[in-house]
Amino acid sequence: MINQRETALQIEASKSKRVVEVKWGDGHVSRYGFSLLRAACPCAGCRGGHENMRSEPDEDIFLVELGESDATMLAQIEAVGGYGIRLTWQDGHSDGIFTWHYLRELCSCAECRDEK
Ligand SMILES: [Zn+2]
Ligand SMILES: [Zn+2]
């Protein structure tokens, strides 16, 4: 059984708009600002230790607004074993692996936020 809700069909990054757009198998389209993605970096370093790593984003991430800097400029998106993507940032940080589940839960559109 394929979980269409957490199957990414297409991923596009726009450096001018500072947005990553993901089309999901169920037809939903998510748009993630670079700032949100960096604030939500799931790696142990950004989360403050392995014990704080979660399979879903913390609620307070949605309130964080990081300014424009190398830390919030996306350099590269790389597929990781079919279960997610690794994001590399202009400041060299590349520890964060975003699983499809995590990424879908991170969708900040009104529809998805209303479900919370
Ligand atoms: Zn990180
Ligand atoms: Zn959404």
Side-chain angles (χ1 to χ4, degrees):
M1 242 320 254
I2 295 171
N3 183 350
Q4 296 293 350
R5 196 177 180 274
E6 294 177 6
T7 301
L9 300 179
Q10 200 184 332
I11 301 171
E12 261 176 62
S14 165
K15 289 186 181 178
S16 55
K17 292 183 197 151
R18 300 174 59 84
V19 159
V20 174
E21 190 175 282
V22 178
K23 289 199 178 87
W24 299 100
D26 65 353
H28 195 68
V29 178
S30 300
R31 290 181 186 85
Y32 307 93
F34 284 3
S35 168
L36 175 67
L37 290 169
R38 181 60 194 252
C41 181
C43 84
C46 293
R47 301 272 63 85
H50 284 280
E51 66 276 15
N52 296 322
M53 288 173 79
R54 306 266 182 270
S55 58
E56 289 167 11
D58 292 333
E59 277 302 306
D60 56 8
I61 282 166
F62 295 96
L63 306 173
V64 177
E65 186 54 55
L66 302 173
E68 291 191 23
S69 70
D70 282 353
T72 55
M73 177 47 78
L74 189 63
Q76 200 189 331
I77 299 178
E78 187 187 340
V80 179
Y83 65 86
I85 48 174
R86 175 193 293 275
L87 300 185
T88 300
W89 300 93
Q90 205 68 53
D91 65 353
H93 190 68
S94 63
D95 292 334
I97 293 173
F98 293 69
T99 64
W100 300 135
H101 178 71
Y102 188 92
L103 206 53
R104 180 67 190 237
E105 292 297 315
L106 190 63
C107 185
S108 57
C109 79
E111 195 185 322
C112 291
R113 299 310 296 154
D114 278 353
E115 288 172 15
K116 306 285 169 195

